[in-house]
Amino acid sequence: MTFNITEDDASRKVELHLGQLKNITVRGKRQAFYQIGAIAKRTIRENIMAKPRSGRLEKYNGRKRRASVAGESFANRSGAAKKTLGFEVHGAEEVEFGFRANDATIYTKFLEDGTKKMASRPTVKIASKSTVGKAQTIMITELQKAHEMGFK
């Protein structure tokens, strides 16, 4: 069973595609993709809230918070980015997870990709690398369950 990861820099989304699988149930694949998306979302949230950070200490809304440094997942400040985090299952072919674009979280693009003055904080990329290891196990388990139940 093969997996292909596509990172789309323009939309800040990561897509996980299945390789060619024949005679496998659609329901099992969709269930597996849903669980993979949920795990990816949980992993990204945990990475955003993880401590300790190694950046400088700064004041935000009257509280002191530790910032992130390049290469770490970005630190949680207002929670706006964490609220827009989500995933979508597209048929039985792929799951897409990342931050939904809106005016409140436009800065996530700059945090994720970096700018010419600030190095990137690749939160989604870090989570996608750790999720792929679990994805294969989940896919096999769900396909076996669906096959045993007789779904097509």
Side-chain angles (χ1 to χ4, degrees):
M1 185 175 299
T2 60
F3 291 97
N4 180 23
I5 298 177
T6 306
E7 295 177 5
D8 184 8
D9 292 334
S11 65
R12 299 181 319 279
K13 302 273 184 184
V14 176
E15 297 175 359
L16 178 64
H17 302 276
L18 273 181
Q20 295 184 359
L21 295 174
K22 296 181 180 178
N23 302 325
I24 303 294
T25 63
V26 172
R27 180 185 170 122
K29 288 193 285 186
R30 287 181 59 84
Q31 286 287 94
F33 279 136
Y34 182 84
Q35 287 185 14
I36 292 166
I39 287 173
K41 182 178 176 179
R42 189 177 330 117
T43 304
I44 294 170
R45 283 178 178 246
E46 288 170 359
N47 288 347
I48 291 172
M49 299 303 291
K51 293 184 178 163
R53 297 280 178 205
S54 53
R56 65 188 175 120
L57 198 60
E58 56 186 25
K59 275 193 172 184
Y60 182 75
N61 285 345
R63 296 177 61 190
K64 291 183 181 181
R65 298 178 189 250
R66 180 76 55 187
S68 61
V69 295
E72 285 183 339
S73 295
F74 58 82
N76 186 45
R77 287 183 73 186
S78 66
K82 199 170 68 167
K83 291 174 189 170
T84 63
L85 182 61
F87 67 94
E88 292 180 14
V89 176
H90 299 286
E93 302 303 319
E94 67 182 21
V95 62
E96 180 180 87
F97 57 92
F99 296 98
R100 293 187 174 91
N102 65 20
D103 292 340
T105 59
I106 196 70
Y107 68 91
T108 59
K109 177 185 185 322
F110 301 124
L111 290 171
E112 190 73 29
D113 301 334
T115 64
K116 63 182 179 182
K117 292 188 175 186
M118 178 184 71
S120 67
R121 281 124 173 102
T123 306
V124 175
K125 291 177 185 173
I126 291 170
S128 66
K129 288 177 185 172
S130 66
T131 303
V132 171
K134 300 171 190 172
Q136 191 168 12
T137 307
I138 292 169
M139 185 61 70
I140 291 169
T141 305
E142 286 300 319
L143 292 176
Q144 286 173 346
K145 273 194 231 175
H147 183 69
E148 289 169 4
M149 295 175 74
F151 291 112
K152 292 187 178 184

